[in-house]
Amino acid sequence: FGKVVSFSWARDSERAMTASQDGNVIVWNAVQAKKMSLIPLKSSWVMFAEMSHDGQELFVTGGLDNVATLWRAPIDDAPHKLEQ
């Protein structure tokens, strides 16, 4: 695994999201300390992943490749890229 470079809490305070230098974003069930979803990104240059706090299940990723991607994810399903 790569070093974790970003951490974000979900609005419900039960889920969290991490981004790491291996190019993966992981959604965690923080209450049970278990991985819910692993989202591999195209680039390992990811520097952040931030969850929306408005309850719409949106999150954004970005990194040193100068690409920001907005995702819509029912967190228990596969994420869907909205914009790049």
Side-chain angles (χ1 to χ4, degrees):
F1 292 103
K3 293 180 182 178
V4 173
V5 294
S6 178
F7 178 89
S8 173
W9 282 105
R11 181 180 179 190
D12 62 13
S13 298
E14 293 182 7
R15 292 171 294 151
M17 176 177 283
T18 57
S20 57
Q21 290 179 335
D22 60 4
N24 290 313
V25 172
I26 299 174
V27 179
W28 299 88
N29 179 320
V31 175
Q32 298 177 356
K34 293 184 179 181
K35 292 179 190 175
M36 295 175 67
S37 298
L38 178 110
I39 303 144
L41 303 178
K42 288 184 181 179
S43 172
S44 63
W45 295 100
V46 64
M47 293 302 294
F48 74 91
E50 181 72 27
M51 298 182 87
S52 170
H53 292 270
D54 63 2
Q56 293 188 24
E57 301 298 344
L58 298 174
F59 67 96
V60 65
T61 59
L64 295 177
D65 60 354
N66 295 320
V67 175
T69 306
L70 180 64
W71 304 79
R72 179 182 308 278
I75 296 300
D76 51 354
D77 274 344
H80 303 284
K81 188 184 302 184
L82 292 179
E83 297 178 22
Q84 185 169 334

